[in-house]
Each structure stands twice: as C-alpha cells, then as structure tokens.
Amino acid sequence: MICVSIGRGRHRHMIAEHKFLAEKDVHLVELRLDYIQGTVQVKRLLKDRPCPAIVTCRRAIDGGRWEDSEEARLVLLRMAIVEGADYIDLEDDIATKIPRYGKTKRIISFHDLHRTPPDLTALHKKLTSMDADIVKIATMANHPMDNLRMLELVRGSKIPTVGICMGDIGMPTRILSGKVGSPFTYATFHHDRVLAPGQLGWQQMRDVYRYDTISAATEIYGVVADPVAHSLSPVVHNAALAAAHKDAVYLPFRVPAEQLDEFIASADRWPLTGLSITIPHKEAVLRHVRVQDDMVKAIGAANTLAFTPAGIAAFNTDATAAVESLEAAIVDKDNETHPEGFGVKKALVLGAGGAARAVAFGLKRQGVDVTVASRTMGRTKLMAMEVGCKAVEWNARYRLPYDCLVNATPVGMHPNVDETPFDKEHLRPYMVIFDTVYNPENTLLIKDARTTGCRIVTGVEMFVRQAAIQFKIWQKCEASQSLMRDALKQATASAKQPV
Ligand code: NAP
C-alpha cells in the first residue's frame, strides 16, 4: 500500500488533497500537522475523512516544520487520538508519554537525517518495546549498503515495520518496501513537493514503479550511476516491463565511484538480475565481470550487466543502437536500402567520451571513415588511436566536408537548449545529423538540421534502441520500442525533472 503524505499550509487544501487521493483509490494518507500554518484544527481534518489517515506532527530535528512548543505538540497528538485518528506517529522519545487509547494504532518512529545507524537491530528492538503496532525507521543513506541493511531488517522483523532510507541513495528502499513485507511505503502528493529527501510522487510510485505489484518474487533491475536522479531509464524500462507483463521492477541506484565494488559484490543479497551501467562506472565495472561481449572487448566499457548463475556478463548496447538508429533514418528518408553499403562514408564525431567512443566504434565497423573532434586534444588523440580513426582539433571541425555529423557532447542538453556544437551555416542538405542528446529531443542542432534539409537522427532513437537491446538481453524477448519511445517523450515533455 502507498501512504501519501500531505503537507499543506491550509486546512482546506489538506482536506481537498485527502479527498482527491481517496477518489484516486489511495487507501492511506499521512496528515502532516506540522505543515499547517496557524492553529491546527485536528477535528476538522479528521471529520468525514474519505480514507484512513496517519496523524503526524514532526519537529524540525526529525525533518519536520513544527515550530511551536513540545508541550503544544503533545497536546495536538493526544487530541488526534481522542478524535479517533486511524494511526498516530509517535517518535521514540515521546512514545511512552502518550499512552494507547481507543482504536488508534501506534506507529513508533525513529529518524536520523544524517546517517543510517550501524546497529539497526538493536534500534528496532527498542522501538518494538514501546507498545508499537507498527515500527517506522527513516534514516539517511550514505552508502548503497545502508539500503540492504534496512531491507534485510524489515524482511526479518516480526512486527510490521516500515524501513526507509532517505536521500537519492536510499530511493530503492522506498520502492522495495513492500517486497520485504512493509505494511506500506510513503510517497508525496506531487514529486516536486517532497516532504523528505528522496521521496517519490505517489503517481510515480504507482504508475512508473507499479509499487502494488511488487512482491518477494519480483525481479530487480536498475540503472547504476552517480548522479542518478536525472536518469530516464526507469521510466523507459518500467514501461516496457509493464507492457510485457513481467514481474520485475527497474530502480535508480545512486552508487558513488568508491562504493561500486561493494555494491556489485552484494548483488545476490538484493538479489539483482540486470543492471544498466552509466557515468562514472562503465569502465570500472569490468573488473567484476566474467564474460564480455565483442563490443565491450572492443570499446573497453560496458553499459549493461546480466547476473547469471555462471557469473556476471557485460554488454555494450550503445554502439549497435547508434548504428541501427542511423540505418533506420537513412532507409526511412530514402525509402530504400543502400545496396552499396551503409549509406554514410565520412563521419565527424564531436566529443571523446563514452558515447563518442561507442558511436565511433559502431561506425568504423560499418566501414565508415571516422574523424573525431573534442576540446581536449589529448583525449581526442587517445580515442582516435584506440578506435582506429582520425583526430582533429575542436576548432578544425568545420574545415573538411563530412556526410555525417554526430554530436556526442552534452552541448544542447537541458537546460542549455540554446547551444549547439556545430554552427548552422556549416550544415549542408546532403548531411545526416545525429544528435545523441535526448533531453530535449529537438535540440538546436536538430532544429537547424531540419531547416537545412538534412536527414536527422535524434538521441531518443539511440536511447530507446540501447534500452530495447538491454531488455532483450535480460528478458529474452523483444521490447515494444514504440511504447518505450512514447514513455521517454512523455517524461521529457511533461517534466524537465524526471524520476
Ligand atoms: P562524457 O564521457 O562525459 O564525454 C563528454 C564529451 O563531451 C567529452 O569529450 C567532453 O570534452 C565533451 N564536452 C563536454 N562539454 C562540452 C562543451 N561544452 N563543448 C564541447 N565539448 C564538450 O559523456 P558521454 O557519456 O560520452 O555522454 C555525452 C553525451 O551523449 C551525453 O550528454 C548524452 O546527452 C549523450 N548520450 C546519449 C545516449 C543515448 O542513448 N542517446 C547515450 C549516452 C550518452 P572535454 O574533455 O573537452 O570536456
């Protein structure tokens, strides 16, 4: 069950959101009295409530907004019990001061906004001894292993326990709460209005992560990155998993570089089935793998892991996705295949990072004459040597004619949408312009190319195709690319800050 926390300054807004949520089939809300401005009217909030409510009044030291006295807070909590609140949230230090009364169930809670304490078991034991119906522990995750310790605590507990790690790193615990037996998880009314770090909106929790379908048997996939909050992979993969009726969920795992080894080594404990790997881990992750596909061997970087009984297998789906995207655009535009070959002869790749390397490899394998240009000549030369292509100075990118230009730099990416890595005056109608940036899809470079009359390939195409290849590696069946494309476009269009 998803419990939606409502934090509004005015009673009527809180009541309206409660009503709205109940109409949307939400079965539990948390009324955060500490958000109400002025005198709190508990009776008004609870009278005629459309679905059960937890009443919470959080102090600032626990992450709340209550500014009045502690005495006044305790009075308010007692009033809520007298008014028949379904649940009352009592922090561990006040639990013994407020006795059980009537039918109100007691949630005994503990918060640590800075860390996840080392001995969660002892803490849990202490909280259960305080006449708890439910124990709630919310702590800051500073390490992916904090999540595992929390999930394992909840899984092993006899009393219903909600164990949540806060922050970006802790997000998986919010989504996997039900998998380990929590009675509910917390989400917010809107993903832009979070009440605690790392919280998700209830619609993301319900529609993207399908929280209510996650059980002990659900397979876990995810993207490993740092940072990860901007990643659109969860939106795209979860849409494909849902459409294919897979009992699987795809999570954002924020894993700092120095914690990667421990995270990968802990795969069996989650357990993890497959991972997308992105910045900064694409090369570092290779020290853990047993098998590498040809692309990984050639590029020296992986973007996909599959956890199998025989060990970890690594794949790189970026190069194939880039080539397939180009091929599709060329065939689409000409409405015919190219019997003489790939359809591109000379390509200029801008950038010398992971994406540039994958695209350049893919093009080289198609027999394309590839040149790379980036701002850092040392990096450009190194990549050119490894890929077997030419290198030119960044400022020399306009000097020679190319029939294909690939942007593999972040230039033009949200929020810098008015920037382009290649001036419009140098575009020619015979060129194929491929921008790997996918947020937004219509970058300034793509817009310029379109008005020049060039054939275009957007980063959305490549992103969807690399994800679809990953899906096939893990699920052994095709993903719906059109559905993935729609999910991606909707996410970039509706919210510039995705899940
Ligand atoms: P990366 O490893 O950090 O490499 C970025 C490259 O861009 C570097 O060569 C860097 O050069 C260059 N660069 C950065 N800022 C620049 C600027 N203002 N002007 C000119 N060059 C600049 O990143 P990556 O993984 O290769 O990703 C690059 C972009 O590709 C991402 O931003 C993303 O939009 C796109 N991408 C798309 C997909 C897809 O599926 N569509 C997949 C992966 C990546 P310096 O060394 O000079 O800084």
Side-chain angles (χ1 to χ4, degrees), residues 458-483:
T458 73
V460 164
E461 261 328 293
M462 176 174 163
F463 189 83
V464 166
R465 285 172 194 274
Q466 61 80 27
I469 303 169
Q470 291 182 325
F471 187 95
K472 192 169 179 186
I473 289 168
W474 296 326
Q475 305 296 338
K476 316 280 181 243
C477 66
E478 300 288 340
S480 165
Q481 286 193 26
S482 60
L483 190 135

PDB file of all heavy atoms in Angstrom, residues 458-483:
ATOM      1  N   THR A 458      17.733  11.477 -33.864  1.00  0.00           N
ATOM      2  CA  THR A 458      17.761  12.104 -32.537  1.00  0.00           C
ATOM      3  C   THR A 458      18.280  11.124 -31.482  1.00  0.00           C
ATOM      4  O   THR A 458      18.273   9.902 -31.673  1.00  0.00           O
ATOM      5  CB  THR A 458      16.362  12.602 -32.119  1.00  0.00           C
ATOM      6  OG1 THR A 458      15.553  11.466 -31.801  1.00  0.00           O
ATOM      7  CG2 THR A 458      15.711  13.444 -33.195  1.00  0.00           C
ATOM      8  N   GLY A 459      18.669  11.697 -30.351  1.00  0.00           N
ATOM      9  CA  GLY A 459      19.160  10.884 -29.236  1.00  0.00           C
ATOM     10  C   GLY A 459      18.080   9.969 -28.682  1.00  0.00           C
ATOM     11  O   GLY A 459      18.394   8.931 -28.094  1.00  0.00           O
ATOM     12  N   VAL A 460      16.817  10.345 -28.871  1.00  0.00           N
ATOM     13  CA  VAL A 460      15.720   9.494 -28.401  1.00  0.00           C
ATOM     14  C   VAL A 460      15.799   8.136 -29.095  1.00  0.00           C
ATOM     15  O   VAL A 460      15.636   7.090 -28.469  1.00  0.00           O
ATOM     16  CB  VAL A 460      14.351  10.185 -28.648  1.00  0.00           C
ATOM     17  CG1 VAL A 460      13.205   9.191 -28.543  1.00  0.00           C
ATOM     18  CG2 VAL A 460      14.164  11.326 -27.665  1.00  0.00           C
ATOM     19  N   GLU A 461      16.061   8.165 -30.414  1.00  0.00           N
ATOM     20  CA  GLU A 461      16.175   6.906 -31.178  1.00  0.00           C
ATOM     21  C   GLU A 461      17.249   6.006 -30.559  1.00  0.00           C
ATOM     22  O   GLU A 461      17.027   4.823 -30.308  1.00  0.00           O
ATOM     23  CB  GLU A 461      16.568   7.209 -32.630  1.00  0.00           C
ATOM     24  CG  GLU A 461      15.462   7.228 -33.625  1.00  0.00           C
ATOM     25  CD  GLU A 461      14.316   6.278 -33.336  1.00  0.00           C
ATOM     26  OE1 GLU A 461      14.521   5.061 -33.403  1.00  0.00           O
ATOM     27  OE2 GLU A 461      13.215   6.757 -33.037  1.00  0.00           O
ATOM     28  N   MET A 462      18.424   6.596 -30.330  1.00  0.00           N
ATOM     29  CA  MET A 462      19.532   5.793 -29.801  1.00  0.00           C
ATOM     30  C   MET A 462      19.215   5.306 -28.386  1.00  0.00           C
ATOM     31  O   MET A 462      19.456   4.146 -28.052  1.00  0.00           O
ATOM     32  CB  MET A 462      20.811   6.634 -29.798  1.00  0.00           C
ATOM     33  CG  MET A 462      21.985   5.911 -29.173  1.00  0.00           C
ATOM     34  SD  MET A 462      23.513   6.848 -29.347  1.00  0.00           S
ATOM     35  CE  MET A 462      24.546   6.056 -28.116  1.00  0.00           C
ATOM     36  N   PHE A 463      18.640   6.187 -27.583  1.00  0.00           N
ATOM     37  CA  PHE A 463      18.345   5.829 -26.190  1.00  0.00           C
ATOM     38  C   PHE A 463      17.362   4.663 -26.127  1.00  0.00           C
ATOM     39  O   PHE A 463      17.545   3.701 -25.385  1.00  0.00           O
ATOM     40  CB  PHE A 463      17.774   7.042 -25.451  1.00  0.00           C
ATOM     41  CG  PHE A 463      17.651   6.826 -23.968  1.00  0.00           C
ATOM     42  CD1 PHE A 463      18.741   7.006 -23.141  1.00  0.00           C
ATOM     43  CD2 PHE A 463      16.456   6.427 -23.398  1.00  0.00           C
ATOM     44  CE1 PHE A 463      18.642   6.783 -21.772  1.00  0.00           C
ATOM     45  CE2 PHE A 463      16.347   6.210 -22.039  1.00  0.00           C
ATOM     46  CZ  PHE A 463      17.447   6.390 -21.228  1.00  0.00           C
ATOM     47  N   VAL A 464      16.325   4.760 -26.942  1.00  0.00           N
ATOM     48  CA  VAL A 464      15.304   3.706 -26.945  1.00  0.00           C
ATOM     49  C   VAL A 464      15.910   2.400 -27.442  1.00  0.00           C
ATOM     50  O   VAL A 464      15.672   1.327 -26.875  1.00  0.00           O
ATOM     51  CB  VAL A 464      14.100   4.139 -27.805  1.00  0.00           C
ATOM     52  CG1 VAL A 464      13.192   2.960 -28.114  1.00  0.00           C
ATOM     53  CG2 VAL A 464      13.324   5.236 -27.093  1.00  0.00           C
ATOM     54  N   ARG A 465      16.709   2.476 -28.505  1.00  0.00           N
ATOM     55  CA  ARG A 465      17.276   1.239 -29.067  1.00  0.00           C
ATOM     56  C   ARG A 465      18.269   0.581 -28.095  1.00  0.00           C
ATOM     57  O   ARG A 465      18.267  -0.643 -27.946  1.00  0.00           O
ATOM     58  CB  ARG A 465      17.952   1.518 -30.413  1.00  0.00           C
ATOM     59  CG  ARG A 465      16.934   1.724 -31.520  1.00  0.00           C
ATOM     60  CD  ARG A 465      17.594   2.196 -32.800  1.00  0.00           C
ATOM     61  NE  ARG A 465      16.591   2.701 -33.714  1.00  0.00           N
ATOM     62  CZ  ARG A 465      15.906   1.946 -34.571  1.00  0.00           C
ATOM     63  NH1 ARG A 465      16.123   0.655 -34.635  1.00  0.00           N
ATOM     64  NH2 ARG A 465      14.992   2.488 -35.365  1.00  0.00           N
ATOM     65  N   GLN A 466      19.117   1.401 -27.412  1.00  0.00           N
ATOM     66  CA  GLN A 466      20.064   0.756 -26.482  1.00  0.00           C
ATOM     67  C   GLN A 466      19.300   0.113 -25.328  1.00  0.00           C
ATOM     68  O   GLN A 466      19.685  -0.951 -24.831  1.00  0.00           O
ATOM     69  CB  GLN A 466      21.181   1.721 -26.022  1.00  0.00           C
ATOM     70  CG  GLN A 466      20.755   2.974 -25.270  1.00  0.00           C
ATOM     71  CD  GLN A 466      20.457   2.738 -23.804  1.00  0.00           C
ATOM     72  OE1 GLN A 466      20.999   1.827 -23.208  1.00  0.00           O
ATOM     73  NE2 GLN A 466      19.569   3.528 -23.218  1.00  0.00           N
ATOM     74  N   ALA A 467      18.192   0.751 -24.922  1.00  0.00           N
ATOM     75  CA  ALA A 467      17.381   0.169 -23.834  1.00  0.00           C
ATOM     76  C   ALA A 467      16.664  -1.096 -24.314  1.00  0.00           C
ATOM     77  O   ALA A 467      16.550  -2.077 -23.578  1.00  0.00           O
ATOM     78  CB  ALA A 467      16.378   1.199 -23.327  1.00  0.00           C
ATOM     79  N   ALA A 468      16.205  -1.070 -25.557  1.00  0.00           N
ATOM     80  CA  ALA A 468      15.488  -2.240 -26.098  1.00  0.00           C
ATOM     81  C   ALA A 468      16.428  -3.440 -26.231  1.00  0.00           C
ATOM     82  O   ALA A 468      16.032  -4.587 -25.978  1.00  0.00           O
ATOM     83  CB  ALA A 468      14.867  -1.896 -27.447  1.00  0.00           C
ATOM     84  N   ILE A 469      17.686  -3.175 -26.593  1.00  0.00           N
ATOM     85  CA  ILE A 469      18.653  -4.285 -26.689  1.00  0.00           C
ATOM     86  C   ILE A 469      18.923  -4.843 -25.283  1.00  0.00           C
ATOM     87  O   ILE A 469      19.009  -6.053 -25.075  1.00  0.00           O
ATOM     88  CB  ILE A 469      19.961  -3.848 -27.394  1.00  0.00           C
ATOM     89  CG1 ILE A 469      19.663  -3.284 -28.792  1.00  0.00           C
ATOM     90  CG2 ILE A 469      20.929  -5.034 -27.515  1.00  0.00           C
ATOM     91  CD1 ILE A 469      20.850  -2.579 -29.460  1.00  0.00           C
ATOM     92  N   GLN A 470      19.018  -3.941 -24.311  1.00  0.00           N
ATOM     93  CA  GLN A 470      19.204  -4.397 -22.921  1.00  0.00           C
ATOM     94  C   GLN A 470      18.033  -5.283 -22.494  1.00  0.00           C
ATOM     95  O   GLN A 470      18.223  -6.350 -21.893  1.00  0.00           O
ATOM     96  CB  GLN A 470      19.266  -3.189 -21.968  1.00  0.00           C
ATOM     97  CG  GLN A 470      20.510  -2.338 -22.136  1.00  0.00           C
ATOM     98  CD  GLN A 470      20.565  -1.180 -21.156  1.00  0.00           C
ATOM     99  OE1 GLN A 470      19.542  -0.592 -20.812  1.00  0.00           O
ATOM    100  NE2 GLN A 470      21.770  -0.838 -20.722  1.00  0.00           N
ATOM    101  N   PHE A 471      16.833  -4.822 -22.823  1.00  0.00           N
ATOM    102  CA  PHE A 471      15.621  -5.569 -22.458  1.00  0.00           C
ATOM    103  C   PHE A 471      15.690  -6.985 -23.027  1.00  0.00           C
ATOM    104  O   PHE A 471      15.388  -7.962 -22.345  1.00  0.00           O
ATOM    105  CB  PHE A 471      14.395  -4.821 -22.993  1.00  0.00           C
ATOM    106  CG  PHE A 471      13.079  -5.385 -22.549  1.00  0.00           C
ATOM    107  CD1 PHE A 471      12.421  -4.869 -21.440  1.00  0.00           C
ATOM    108  CD2 PHE A 471      12.477  -6.425 -23.242  1.00  0.00           C
ATOM    109  CE1 PHE A 471      11.202  -5.382 -21.025  1.00  0.00           C
ATOM    110  CE2 PHE A 471      11.259  -6.943 -22.843  1.00  0.00           C
ATOM    111  CZ  PHE A 471      10.619  -6.420 -21.734  1.00  0.00           C
ATOM    112  N   LYS A 472      16.130  -7.076 -24.267  1.00  0.00           N
ATOM    113  CA  LYS A 472      16.189  -8.393 -24.915  1.00  0.00           C
ATOM    114  C   LYS A 472      17.251  -9.285 -24.253  1.00  0.00           C
ATOM    115  O   LYS A 472      17.042 -10.494 -24.083  1.00  0.00           O
ATOM    116  CB  LYS A 472      16.481  -8.220 -26.407  1.00  0.00           C
ATOM    117  CG  LYS A 472      16.276  -9.505 -27.170  1.00  0.00           C
ATOM    118  CD  LYS A 472      16.291  -9.304 -28.641  1.00  0.00           C
ATOM    119  CE  LYS A 472      16.108 -10.655 -29.324  1.00  0.00           C
ATOM    120  NZ  LYS A 472      16.247 -10.561 -30.755  1.00  0.00           N
ATOM    121  N   ILE A 473      18.361  -8.691 -23.867  1.00  0.00           N
ATOM    122  CA  ILE A 473      19.407  -9.468 -23.179  1.00  0.00           C
ATOM    123  C   ILE A 473      18.844 -10.074 -21.892  1.00  0.00           C
ATOM    124  O   ILE A 473      19.056 -11.237 -21.575  1.00  0.00           O
ATOM    125  CB  ILE A 473      20.632  -8.562 -22.861  1.00  0.00           C
ATOM    126  CG1 ILE A 473      21.371  -8.209 -24.153  1.00  0.00           C
ATOM    127  CG2 ILE A 473      21.562  -9.221 -21.845  1.00  0.00           C
ATOM    128  CD1 ILE A 473      22.402  -7.099 -23.990  1.00  0.00           C
ATOM    129  N   TRP A 474      18.089  -9.266 -21.149  1.00  0.00           N
ATOM    130  CA  TRP A 474      17.591  -9.713 -19.840  1.00  0.00           C
ATOM    131  C   TRP A 474      16.352 -10.608 -19.954  1.00  0.00           C
ATOM    132  O   TRP A 474      16.211 -11.579 -19.252  1.00  0.00           O
ATOM    133  CB  TRP A 474      17.231  -8.504 -18.978  1.00  0.00           C
ATOM    134  CG  TRP A 474      18.385  -7.625 -18.627  1.00  0.00           C
ATOM    135  CD1 TRP A 474      19.684  -8.008 -18.388  1.00  0.00           C
ATOM    136  CD2 TRP A 474      18.355  -6.206 -18.451  1.00  0.00           C
ATOM    137  NE1 TRP A 474      20.454  -6.920 -18.080  1.00  0.00           N
ATOM    138  CE2 TRP A 474      19.668  -5.803 -18.101  1.00  0.00           C
ATOM    139  CE3 TRP A 474      17.363  -5.233 -18.534  1.00  0.00           C
ATOM    140  CZ2 TRP A 474      19.995  -4.469 -17.850  1.00  0.00           C
ATOM    141  CZ3 TRP A 474      17.691  -3.917 -18.269  1.00  0.00           C
ATOM    142  CH2 TRP A 474      18.998  -3.544 -17.938  1.00  0.00           C
ATOM    143  N   GLN A 475      15.435 -10.224 -20.832  1.00  0.00           N
ATOM    144  CA  GLN A 475      14.122 -10.886 -20.859  1.00  0.00           C
ATOM    145  C   GLN A 475      14.001 -11.943 -21.952  1.00  0.00           C
ATOM    146  O   GLN A 475      13.002 -12.655 -22.008  1.00  0.00           O
ATOM    147  CB  GLN A 475      13.004  -9.846 -21.047  1.00  0.00           C
ATOM    148  CG  GLN A 475      12.998  -8.726 -20.035  1.00  0.00           C
ATOM    149  CD  GLN A 475      12.741  -9.232 -18.624  1.00  0.00           C
ATOM    150  OE1 GLN A 475      12.188 -10.313 -18.438  1.00  0.00           O
ATOM    151  NE2 GLN A 475      13.150  -8.462 -17.633  1.00  0.00           N
ATOM    152  N   LYS A 476      14.984 -11.991 -22.845  1.00  0.00           N
ATOM    153  CA  LYS A 476      14.960 -12.955 -23.961  1.00  0.00           C
ATOM    154  C   LYS A 476      13.734 -12.780 -24.851  1.00  0.00           C
ATOM    155  O   LYS A 476      13.207 -13.740 -25.404  1.00  0.00           O
ATOM    156  CB  LYS A 476      15.002 -14.420 -23.473  1.00  0.00           C
ATOM    157  CG  LYS A 476      16.007 -14.677 -22.372  1.00  0.00           C
ATOM    158  CD  LYS A 476      17.409 -14.821 -22.934  1.00  0.00           C
ATOM    159  CE  LYS A 476      18.433 -15.112 -21.864  1.00  0.00           C
ATOM    160  NZ  LYS A 476      19.466 -14.127 -21.677  1.00  0.00           N
ATOM    161  N   CYS A 477      13.206 -11.561 -24.899  1.00  0.00           N
ATOM    162  CA  CYS A 477      12.110 -11.266 -25.821  1.00  0.00           C
ATOM    163  C   CYS A 477      12.191  -9.787 -26.211  1.00  0.00           C
ATOM    164  O   CYS A 477      12.893  -9.011 -25.557  1.00  0.00           O
ATOM    165  CB  CYS A 477      10.751 -11.600 -25.212  1.00  0.00           C
ATOM    166  SG  CYS A 477      10.322 -10.578 -23.802  1.00  0.00           S
ATOM    167  N   GLU A 478      11.499  -9.437 -27.289  1.00  0.00           N
ATOM    168  CA  GLU A 478      11.584  -8.058 -27.794  1.00  0.00           C
ATOM    169  C   GLU A 478      10.773  -7.113 -26.899  1.00  0.00           C
ATOM    170  O   GLU A 478       9.694  -7.467 -26.430  1.00  0.00           O
ATOM    171  CB  GLU A 478      10.997  -7.972 -29.210  1.00  0.00           C
ATOM    172  CG  GLU A 478      11.686  -8.847 -30.247  1.00  0.00           C
ATOM    173  CD  GLU A 478      13.074  -8.347 -30.634  1.00  0.00           C
ATOM    174  OE1 GLU A 478      13.363  -7.159 -30.402  1.00  0.00           O
ATOM    175  OE2 GLU A 478      13.864  -9.155 -31.164  1.00  0.00           O
ATOM    176  N   ALA A 479      11.289  -5.888 -26.726  1.00  0.00           N
ATOM    177  CA  ALA A 479      10.521  -4.851 -26.025  1.00  0.00           C
ATOM    178  C   ALA A 479       9.728  -4.069 -27.058  1.00  0.00           C
ATOM    179  O   ALA A 479      10.087  -4.053 -28.236  1.00  0.00           O
ATOM    180  CB  ALA A 479      11.476  -3.910 -25.318  1.00  0.00           C
ATOM    181  N   SER A 480       8.670  -3.432 -26.618  1.00  0.00           N
ATOM    182  CA  SER A 480       7.932  -2.561 -27.526  1.00  0.00           C
ATOM    183  C   SER A 480       8.669  -1.223 -27.617  1.00  0.00           C
ATOM    184  O   SER A 480       8.628  -0.411 -26.693  1.00  0.00           O
ATOM    185  CB  SER A 480       6.509  -2.331 -27.009  1.00  0.00           C
ATOM    186  OG  SER A 480       5.954  -1.238 -27.690  1.00  0.00           O
ATOM    187  N   GLN A 481       9.367  -1.020 -28.744  1.00  0.00           N
ATOM    188  CA  GLN A 481      10.148   0.222 -28.874  1.00  0.00           C
ATOM    189  C   GLN A 481       9.249   1.445 -28.964  1.00  0.00           C
ATOM    190  O   GLN A 481       9.592   2.515 -28.473  1.00  0.00           O
ATOM    191  CB  GLN A 481      11.055   0.145 -30.100  1.00  0.00           C
ATOM    192  CG  GLN A 481      12.232  -0.765 -29.867  1.00  0.00           C
ATOM    193  CD  GLN A 481      13.302  -0.616 -30.936  1.00  0.00           C
ATOM    194  OE1 GLN A 481      13.434   0.423 -31.566  1.00  0.00           O
ATOM    195  NE2 GLN A 481      14.067  -1.655 -31.143  1.00  0.00           N
ATOM    196  N   SER A 482       8.089   1.303 -29.581  1.00  0.00           N
ATOM    197  CA  SER A 482       7.230   2.482 -29.720  1.00  0.00           C
ATOM    198  C   SER A 482       6.711   2.901 -28.345  1.00  0.00           C
ATOM    199  O   SER A 482       6.622   4.087 -28.022  1.00  0.00           O
ATOM    200  CB  SER A 482       6.075   2.213 -30.687  1.00  0.00           C
ATOM    201  OG  SER A 482       5.304   1.159 -30.207  1.00  0.00           O
ATOM    202  N   LEU A 483       6.449   1.912 -27.504  1.00  0.00           N
ATOM    203  CA  LEU A 483       5.983   2.234 -26.155  1.00  0.00           C
ATOM    204  C   LEU A 483       7.106   2.899 -25.332  1.00  0.00           C
ATOM    205  O   LEU A 483       6.882   3.870 -24.612  1.00  0.00           O
ATOM    206  CB  LEU A 483       5.556   0.918 -25.505  1.00  0.00           C
ATOM    207  CG  LEU A 483       4.835   1.020 -24.202  1.00  0.00           C
ATOM    208  CD1 LEU A 483       3.653   0.082 -24.230  1.00  0.00           C
ATOM    209  CD2 LEU A 483       5.759   0.656 -23.067  1.00  0.00           C
TER     210      LEU A 483
END
